[in-house]
Amino acid sequence: NAGVTQTPKFQVLKTGQSMTLQCAQDMNHNSMYWYRQDPGMGLRLIYYSASEGTTDKGEVPNGYNVSRLNKREFSLRLESAAPSQTSVYFCASSATVEGQPQHFGDGTRLSIL
Amino acid sequence: AQKVTQAQTEISVVEKEDVTLDCVYETRDTTYYLFWYKQPPSGELVFLIRRNSFDEQNEISGRYSWNFQKSTSSFNFTITASQVVDSAVYFCAPLYGGSQGNLIFGKGTKLSVKP
């Protein structure tokens, strides 16, 4: 079982470039999430989608946009990348928002020069 | 503010020692959930346990055990007879706010188990 699949695994961008991180899950989960993890920190929520057709801001949404393309896919877009967005990005999914464990992808390591 | 504190930044033990990772949370919610995740050096996040606020029973799973003390807002994690493969960063993550809530990750405790 694939679980949560993120692409790409690594990416280097120049300041001002744009890119989209892709995430897909095959567990028929309703809820999906995007987090960032900076050195020595826990994960911080960027955006989440409680169910298909809805998206909500998390703790650190500035500089990002998301699209819940369908039940399986949830993408994260950086419109104009900045060095402060250098981080490891994790996508996760869960059956519901309330009380269910989130299952994580392997992460995307993004460097912005 | 609702938050979580993992006071131990790094712990180093020798194989076969027992080790306890502390987690203290703050919330005004009466219903909430508590999770622990493991992040090994390879970087992925692995779900370990989920506990809801109404279930104060301690839980044991093999060498892992969890002590939930609602009176002190703590949800500590003990590894018995640690092994090198237990080396990882461990995150405590409460979930507050019901259907509108989300996980709040602590900063993690890095556990190093030496042979």
Side-chain angles (χ1 to χ4, degrees):
Chain A
N1 289 338
V4 179
T5 303
Q6 291 182 233
T7 55
K9 295 192 185 306
F10 302 94
Q11 185 70 48
V12 179
L13 294 178
K14 294 181 180 178
T15 297
Q17 287 185 318
S18 62
M19 84 161 292
T20 300
L21 307 185
Q22 307 287 352
C23 175
Q25 52 91 9
D26 62 2
M27 295 172 282
N28 202 35
H29 284 168
N30 288 310
S31 304
M32 297 186 74
Y33 312 82
W34 276 105
Y35 292 88
R36 61 178 288 173
Q37 184 179 28
D38 299 307
M41 302 284 289
L43 279 70
R44 292 183 294 168
L45 183 66
I46 304 171
Y47 271 93
Y48 70 103
S49 170
S51 60
E52 187 178 356
T54 69
T55 60
D56 286 285
K57 294 179 180 179
E59 181 185 354
V60 288
N62 291 346
Y64 306 95
N65 287 301
V66 290
S67 295
R68 183 74 183 267
L69 304 170
N70 48 55
K71 192 171 185 179
R72 290 186 64 248
E73 298 172 286
F74 188 40
S75 62
L76 177 72
R77 183 161 177 83
L78 286 71
E79 290 290 352
S80 179
S84 61
Q85 294 177 304
T86 294
S87 189
V88 180
Y89 291 83
F90 287 95
C91 177
S93 71
S94 63
T96 63
V97 169
E98 184 173 4
Q100 296 301 311
Q102 295 180 16
H103 298 272
F104 287 81
D106 290 341
T108 296
R109 189 172 296 273
L110 181 62
S111 295
I112 299 161
L113 307 177
Chain B
Q2 305 194 109
K3 63 180 185 180
V4 56
T5 302
Q6 295 181 257
Q8 305 145 308
T9 304
E10 292 193 42
I11 300 176
S12 182
V13 299
V14 176
E15 211 170 16
K16 299 184 183 177
E17 285 186 26
D18 299 346
V19 58
T20 295
L21 310 182
D22 297 334
C23 173
V24 175
Y25 60 93
E26 292 181 31
T27 183
R28 291 181 295 277
D29 290 0
T30 54
T31 301
Y32 51 90
Y33 301 84
L34 300 166
F35 296 83
W36 276 92
Y37 284 86
K38 173 182 180 180
Q39 187 174 41
S42 50
E44 73 274 22
L45 282 140
V46 180
F47 163 70
L48 295 178
I49 190 171
R50 164 187 178 267
R51 172 69 66 214
N52 75 52
S53 53
F54 295 107
D55 181 1
E56 293 190 62
Q57 282 191 338
N58 293 327
E59 180 157 340
I60 297 174
S61 176
R63 296 184 296 106
Y64 294 171
S65 62
W66 289 268
N67 184 340
F68 180 24
Q69 296 282 341
K70 202 168 182 178
S71 59
T72 56
S73 297
S74 65
F75 187 43
N76 297 336
F77 172 33
T78 297
I79 302 174
T80 302
S82 59
Q83 300 177 0
V84 173
V85 293
D86 296 326
S87 297
V89 180
Y90 291 86
F91 292 99
C92 177
L95 191 157
Y96 310 124
S99 61
Q100 300 300 315
N102 287 290
L103 288 176
I104 308 294
F105 279 83
K107 292 186 177 181
T109 297
K110 182 177 181 180
L111 174 65
S112 298
V113 181
K114 302 188 186 307

